Amino acid sequence: MASGAEGSLDKSDVVIVGGGMVGVALACALAPSGLSIRILESREGSPQALIDALPALAEQGFDPRVSALTCASQQFLTHVGAWPNMQASRVCPYTDMDVWDGRGTGAIQFSAAELHEPCLGHIVENRVTLAALYSVMLESENIRFDAGVKIESVSPPDQQGKRTIRLAGAQSLETALLVGADGAQSRIRALTGMGATEWDYGHHAIVTTIETEKPHRFTCWQRFTEDGPLALLPLADPSERKMSIVWSTSPAHARELMALEDEAFCAELGHAFEYRLGEVRACDTRFLHPLRQRHAQRYVQSGLALVGDAAHTIHPLAGQGVNLGLLDAAALAEVLLDARARGESPGDERVLRRYQRMRRAANLQTAAAMEGFRRLFDDLPAPVRLLRSGGMSLVNRMAPVKQHLMLMAMGLRGDVPRLARRGLS
């Protein structure tokens, strides 16, 4: 594998713009096909540098960016060879999930034991996942990673569907398939005129790592407050008292919370969480993220595909964002590998439409469900809140319904891409 952006750039079968988890996972899944793959990343820094720094970073603390990876995501990461490295670093399985209505009496408890499963999923630091994927990528001779790359323009497709990418410094690169995996503010989506529908959730999310008085018991906790959902996610800490939080609230309230000293913030957090795990004893640096929903009107054109946040972003209340992106990568890899076996071009729009059919409707359905769920917990009249709490309690007593919801959320039921299905070797 070569790296660096010096010298002339030649032709590649697939160019992936974005060296994050979704883009690199896609490259690793495609590597066995023999396709020549190029990853273009705007940020500086080599993949090996992150791998080398990971032990020291772990000693310093936890990455504030974590993901609640489903069983389907775990299966896909296992398929590409990254999961063993992730386990060797640190992952935290969670066996239970407690969700309750902060303005009512409704509550639902989910447990892996009800499904005879070892866990419901894993909480993993994003840098752990990315470093593991980088390790796989570096072993692949047909993947090249270029860091610090700025894309100036993307040509329309030629008669064969090929695109020419012009980079800063008058360099150009031709590819049969350009994949936008460059996040919510996707430059590829903008440069190619791929429109997206978006709106502001009216929420900002505060993210940090905290330490609680009581152990987390490998449980994910979520309270729906009057301002928005508050989630506490267990981390792989020997004391079982380290947790990652995602506190979604109104922009004004978020700014107030960000302005507090750590001790005062911990007190506010403990109160908002109803002291389910006792006092909040400490918190790391806090980060604030505005929340918007986006969905590309199309995922594909001739010689072009969008995956992950470049195609869609949703509210983090159910932790499905990165899982949807990894399923996109699994689905696109499946389609391209099958096309390769049939001798079809990876940029053929007829090929790419198969990926769009597999993922766009499913992602829209998830986005609609998350939006409906969020609206359900808005500041509603008392009679509606009463019905909401009653409905949650009813579902909690209906074992078959709960089991179905859990299996769907875990990616063990439904139309899951082949590379993310359980049982695939």
Side-chain angles (χ1 to χ4, degrees):
M1 189 214 77
S3 64
E6 297 182 0
S8 61
L9 297 175
D10 53 11
K11 299 178 181 180
S12 293
D13 295 319
V14 180
V15 171
I16 300 169
V17 178
M21 293 183 288
V22 172
V24 179
L26 172 62
C28 292
L30 290 176
S33 68
L35 291 164
S36 59
I37 303 162
R38 197 74 160 265
I39 300 175
L40 306 181
E41 170 56 49
S42 62
R43 292 171 297 182
E44 299 285 353
S46 73
Q48 189 63 53
L50 175 61
I51 296 169
D52 294 342
L54 198 62
L57 291 171
E59 288 291 327
Q60 294 170 17
F62 288 88
D63 187 346
R65 300 167 303 164
V66 305
S67 298
L69 297 178
T70 64
C71 294
S73 291
Q74 177 186 346
Q75 176 57 50
F76 180 49
L77 292 165
T78 299
H79 172 76
V80 301
W83 188 254
N85 286 338
M86 293 164 65
Q87 286 182 302
S89 183
R90 58 184 181 194
V91 303
C92 184
Y94 60 96
T95 59
D96 295 86
M97 181 180 295
D98 280 11
V99 182
W100 72 99
D101 185 352
R103 303 195 69 189
T105 59
I108 304 179
Q109 290 82 39
F110 299 101
S111 175
E114 295 180 41
L115 300 174
H116 306 289
E117 293 283 342
C119 65
L120 296 175
H122 292 80
I123 307 299
V124 188
E125 298 157 84
N126 286 5
R127 66 189 178 205
V128 168
T129 303
L130 188 57
L133 287 165
Y134 279 163
S135 294
V136 175
M137 179 190 74
L138 291 170
E139 295 175 356
S140 302
E141 293 293 333
N142 54 326
I143 302 177
R144 174 170 171 170
F145 188 99
D146 294 301
V149 175
K150 182 179 180 181
I151 297 174
E152 299 285 359
S153 65
V154 176
S155 76
D158 64 15
Q159 290 184 343
Q160 288 76 41
K162 294 180 179 180
R163 305 255 181 175
T164 299
I165 307 157
R166 185 176 177 83
L167 309 178
Q171 297 171 315
S172 296
L173 176 62
E174 184 184 85
T175 185
L177 174 61
L178 172 62
V179 179
D182 50 341
Q185 303 293 338
S186 171
R187 182 159 176 76
I188 294 303
R189 192 179 66 226
L191 287 173
T192 55
M194 298 283 274
T197 302
E198 63 178 278
W199 63 89
D200 195 322
Y201 277 120
H203 277 173
H204 286 185
I206 297 173
V207 178
T208 189
T209 302
I210 65 167
E211 181 178 340
T212 56
E213 179 184 355
K214 299 177 183 178
H216 53 58
R217 306 197 301 275
F218 300 98
T219 299
C220 290
W221 311 76
Q222 186 163 57
R223 177 183 184 243
F224 284 90
T225 74
E226 56 272 19
D227 291 315
L230 167 60
L232 274 71
L233 311 173
L235 295 172
D237 172 62
S239 73
E240 297 179 22
R241 286 173 169 80
K242 294 284 189 178
M243 304 192 77
S244 178
I245 74 158
V246 182
W247 191 348
S248 302
T249 186
S250 67
H253 187 219
R255 287 191 292 270
E256 292 173 4
L257 292 170
M258 290 294 290
L260 295 175
E261 297 293 335
D262 286 354
E263 185 177 352
F265 175 78
C266 289
E268 287 288 332
L269 177 58
H271 175 73
F273 194 61
E274 298 179 349
Y275 304 102
R276 293 287 177 106
L277 294 175
E279 301 285 346
V280 179
R281 291 177 167 173
C283 71
D284 289 351
T285 303
R286 286 161 266 158
F287 298 89
L288 185 64
H289 304 283
L291 300 179
R292 294 181 67 83
Q293 184 178 76
R294 298 176 181 84
H295 209 109
Q297 293 160 9
R298 297 176 62 189
Y299 284 13
V300 303
Q301 292 179 357
S302 180
L304 174 67
L306 301 177
V307 295
D309 284 356
H312 48 79
T313 59
I314 63 172
H315 199 286
L317 67 88
Q320 287 297 313
V322 72
N323 293 298
L324 296 182
L326 289 171
L327 290 179
D328 289 348
L332 182 56
E334 176 183 325
V335 165
L336 295 178
L337 291 171
D338 289 349
R340 177 78 164 169
R342 290 192 292 265
E344 298 172 313
S345 168
D348 188 327
E349 190 167 358
R350 292 171 298 179
V351 170
L352 297 176
R353 283 177 181 167
R354 298 168 197 159
Y355 156 67
Q356 181 170 269
R357 286 194 296 270
M358 289 174 69
R359 293 301 305 151
R360 191 167 187 272
N363 289 334
L364 278 170
Q365 184 178 20
T366 301
M370 294 304 99
E371 176 65 8
F373 205 55
R374 185 188 69 83
R375 289 179 181 272
L376 179 63
F377 286 92
D378 276 346
D379 189 11
L380 299 172
V384 180
R385 295 202 304 268
L386 184 63
L387 287 172
R388 180 179 67 199
S389 288
M392 291 180 71
S393 298
L394 178 62
V395 170
N396 195 48
R397 296 192 297 269
M398 300 172 68
V401 173
K402 277 210 304 180
Q403 291 171 8
H404 174 75
L405 291 173
M406 283 190 283
L407 290 169
M408 290 293 291
M410 295 164 69
L412 297 179
R413 185 171 288 178
D415 191 11
V416 178
R418 183 175 70 238
L419 302 185
R421 292 176 197 160
R422 178 176 285 178
L424 183 71
S425 59

